[in-house]
Amino acid sequence: MSGANNQEIGMRRSERRQLRAARAERRAATPLAGAVAGILFALLFSLSVALLESSMSDLPHDTGSWLATSVGRLKLAIALIPFAGLFFLWFIAVARERLGRFEDQFFATVFLGSGLLFLAMIFAAAAAAGAIAATYASAPSSFSTSITYIYARHMVAQIFNVYALRMAAVFLISQATLWLRTGVMPRWMALPTYGVALVLLFVVSQSTWVVLIFPAWVLVVSVYILVVNLTQADATRLEEEEDKAP
């Protein structure tokens, strides 16, 4: 009877260990998925911005003539924005998960809010650009020379180059502050983030290329998280193999 009880207890302990191991694997997979999402956001968003910049004329000299030849690229850029936004949301979630119980509620709120506002800004700019393409399809001969076109074109530029950039700067400042307060990321990555944030906060430019500074930063952070997690996973696997070895 005692032997049967001991065997049952041993089986329960083994099941609990397996359950804990499965949960640990799921937790380990979350940062990896988030890092990949950050890389995908950086690539898709950069591609979208590049398509927008290459299709639209410079704002001071924009006559709307580009609509006759480049509206297809504009539509492709707009179609990529929602997917880039979804990947950025996943990146935000992983960035918060990395802080864990060390998360500061004040800066975490600023971090989350500024990230969501950045997404709202780029979605609004994409919607305005989509309205330009749709309206041109309805009235191709008169729209490009109308006041409505000038208004929509300036609205896209203002949202992208002013409001989205400022929210991205606040996002970086709050993220760098959380990194320094918690120590979850190295100082050599946190301190330059302040410099990148200051550039985005005070830059005055009508060029959409400036927006690419932010996805470049997301790409660097995501690659670092990916490399660190893969290295830790390899080290853990080697330790487990050594423990199992006779």
Side-chain angles (χ1 to χ4, degrees), residues 91-115:
F91 173 79
I92 292 176
V94 170
R96 292 193 65 191
E97 191 272 343
R98 191 171 180 83
L99 296 172
R101 61 188 180 88
F102 300 107
E103 184 180 59
D104 183 292
Q105 289 188 353
F106 176 80
F107 285 104
T109 302
V110 177
F111 166 74
L112 179 61
S114 58

Side-chain angles (χ1 to χ4, degrees), residues 149-191:
Y149 170 75
I150 297 174
Y151 170 79
R153 185 69 178 85
H154 278 273
M155 184 170 70
V156 172
Q158 286 290 312
I159 293 174
F160 250 120
N161 300 337
V162 179
Y163 296 98
L165 285 185
R166 301 307 180 265
M167 288 301 98
V170 174
F171 181 85
L172 296 184
I173 291 172
S174 58
Q175 180 70 102
T177 303
L178 287 168
W179 286 347
L180 290 176
R181 290 170 67 92
T182 60
V184 298
M185 295 287 275
R187 292 178 64 87
W188 62 263
M189 183 170 288
L191 294 178

